[in-house]
Amino acid sequence: MRQLRCAPAALLWLALLAGSAASAAPTRVAYALIIANNTGTEPKQAPLRYADDDGARYYELFSSRTQETVFLSVLDADTQALHPGLAARTRPPTRAALKEALRQLNTRMAEDKARGDSPVLYFVFTGHGKRGPAGEGAVSLLDGSFTRTDLFSQVIAPSTAAFVHLIVDACDSYFFVNSRGALPVAPAQVQAVKGLLATRELARYPNVGAVLSTTREQESHEWSAIRSGVFSHQVLSALSGAADVNADGRVEYSELSAFVAAANQGVEDVRGRLEVSIQPPALDRAAALVDMGDKARLGFLLLPAGLEGRLWVEDARGLRVAEFHKERERSVVLGLPPAQGYFLRGAGREASFRFARAGAVVDGAGLSWRDNALAARGAMEDALRDRLFSVPFGPRFYNGYMASLGQTPVAPEQQPDLSP
């Protein structure tokens, strides 16, 4: 019998398109709660420009991959123009709206568990954050602060999800999820306070993972050329499939961590240098942040081995939806909403493509390229344009990165033989 040897990425998409056999594992059912707020709770916090844009992009990423996505935001005029109809699907980012959204999602996830399914919750925040006098982090809602105590007592502890993935892009975001340093209390109060703090530590919740934009007291950066926060742009690019280093259709925490490290390694300007915290759930350190093998309403762009360099995908609105620096030897598959027309761009050239339907695969090797000139101006614009994603990402970078951390990498890319 003739043997066929296919590229691993091709095998993945053949399985996706044909539909794989039912597994004995519980069905993964995903939900997302996205909060995006441009305004802060203190006069010194100037309004952000693109937190709502990032929230809209997270909404588009997750709404095609989840059972339900709830979006709490007040979109500005420019964002509403770029995302027609989205404002009608949003609610204001208030404490009451957040409480009601959590109640509804927890009810649905409890029903999923009762059926034997495995519900997953994405909790995403983009906007202002701060660290209070006692060291507790908080983020800004329209009607006040939402603190680390609130996060643990209202989101994490009562959650009915099998896994919770926290994604927070805000100043001082590390302190919104974690504590650090001495307790600012008298010695007689230490034990009582430690008992309270123990209920607000991720170690108590091994099913929770966290993706945080800062590890210290640091501002988050916005970049006007992409209408986005730099960290959110990198996370969104990674979760679109650019971080899938072993072409298994899944993006794990270690792959996201290495992808962000590669994206920022070339940045020399301290204003653009990110120090992030990415922590997988202790219960399963190999848990997938996204799995494109799920029944997702996506189109797929296959970029084969041989294509290399810094590339990005823009949609017909001019929004840069994914960016990466591809090692020549690896293949990359991006999962994108099929409704838009797209451009694959690199230095001085571009190729247009679109998906005929959800589930369609576009082979990047067959795209027609043409010359294109792009420009940016300003010192910070130049630093970000020239140095972000300047380091190629793929198995070579990933394996070296994981070795430097002394951690176990994802399973290597497989090269099986298939019989027709």
Side-chain angles (χ1 to χ4, degrees), residues 43-120:
K44 67 179 182 180
Q45 292 176 318
L48 296 169
R49 295 179 63 187
Y50 303 124
D52 59 334
D53 293 86
D54 287 335
R57 286 184 59 191
Y58 278 114
Y59 180 87
E60 291 185 347
L61 177 87
F62 286 120
S63 61
S64 298
R65 303 164 186 251
T66 61
Q67 187 76 14
E68 181 179 354
T69 298
V70 178
F71 188 19
L72 306 183
S73 186
V74 176
L75 307 180
D76 63 25
D78 289 343
T79 306
Q80 291 190 33
L82 285 169
H83 302 269
L86 182 56
R89 299 193 291 274
T90 64
R91 309 174 201 171
T94 62
R95 296 180 69 90
L98 175 54
K99 182 178 180 180
E100 176 60 17
L102 289 168
R103 185 193 66 78
Q104 293 177 357
L105 292 176
N106 279 325
T107 297
R108 297 197 62 177
M109 292 188 294
E111 294 170 351
D112 293 332
K113 273 189 172 179
R115 285 192 297 267
D117 295 336
S118 179
V120 173

Side-chain angles (χ1 to χ4, degrees), residues 137-323:
V139 296
S140 296
L141 301 179
L142 274 185
D143 53 355
S145 295
F146 191 78
T147 66
R148 182 163 61 94
T149 297
D150 296 327
L151 174 69
F152 279 85
S153 64
Q154 298 181 34
V155 179
I156 295 176
S159 179
T160 57
F163 284 94
V164 178
H165 302 297
L166 305 174
I167 301 175
V168 184
D169 187 359
C171 298
D172 297 339
S173 59
Y174 180 90
F175 302 99
F176 179 54
V177 178
N178 301 280
S179 62
R180 180 186 290 169
L183 297 169
V185 295
Q189 299 173 295
V190 167
Q191 291 305 315
V193 174
K194 280 186 175 180
L196 175 62
L197 292 180
T199 66
R200 303 183 332 220
E201 296 291 344
L202 282 185
R204 291 284 298 272
Y205 305 95
N207 64 323
V208 179
V211 178
L212 311 174
S213 61
T214 61
T215 60
R216 56 185 175 87
E217 294 181 270
Q218 179 189 37
E219 293 183 356
S220 295
H221 306 293
E222 294 187 318
W223 185 12
S224 61
I226 56 174
R227 295 187 59 88
S228 180
V230 172
F231 178 74
S232 280
H233 178 58
Q234 293 171 1
V235 172
L236 287 158
S237 297
L239 298 186
S240 293
D244 179 16
V245 76
N246 62 349
D248 66 351
R250 305 165 74 252
V251 176
E252 299 180 16
Y253 278 79
S254 69
E255 292 174 302
L256 172 61
S257 182
F259 180 86
V260 172
N264 292 293
Q265 183 164 300
V267 177
E268 297 172 355
D269 191 319
V270 295
R271 297 172 297 170
R273 192 176 301 151
L274 301 181
E275 295 185 20
V276 306
S277 174
I278 298 176
Q279 180 178 342
L283 187 64
D284 182 4
R285 299 185 66 83
L289 274 154
V290 294
D291 186 344
M292 289 187 285
D294 291 342
K295 294 186 182 300
R297 301 174 295 279
L298 301 170
F300 302 102
L301 174 65
L302 169 61
L303 302 176
L307 184 64
E308 64 179 326
R310 182 177 177 178
L311 301 165
W312 60 94
V313 176
E314 286 187 12
D315 64 20
R317 300 166 296 185
L319 297 178
R320 194 176 302 192
V321 297
E323 187 167 5

Side-chain angles (χ1 to χ4, degrees), residues 300-304 307 332 344 351 353 361-369:
F300 302 102
L301 174 65
L302 169 61
L303 302 176
L307 184 64
V332 173
L344 176 63
F353 66 95
V361 178
V362 171
D363 184 356
L367 295 179
S368 298
W369 292 86

Side-chain angles (χ1 to χ4, degrees), residues 329-411:
E329 296 83 2
R330 69 178 293 228
S331 58
V332 173
V333 178
L334 301 179
L336 303 167
Q340 298 284 341
Y342 294 97
F343 294 89
L344 176 63
R345 290 192 164 124
R349 61 179 189 153
E350 66 180 17
S352 63
F353 66 95
R354 65 171 52 250
F355 303 109
R357 64 188 185 283
V361 178
V362 171
D363 184 356
L367 295 179
S368 298
W369 292 86
R370 64 188 182 192
D371 291 340
N372 181 49
L374 300 173
R377 63 178 182 268
M380 192 59 184
E381 293 285 307
D382 290 341
L384 293 172
R385 179 196 62 187
D386 296 337
R387 304 310 300 171
L388 281 176
F389 298 99
S390 63
V391 175
F393 177 75
R396 285 178 294 178
F397 183 94
Y398 174 79
N399 290 329
Y401 176 82
M402 294 303 291
S404 72
L405 299 178
Q407 296 182 3
T408 303
V410 296

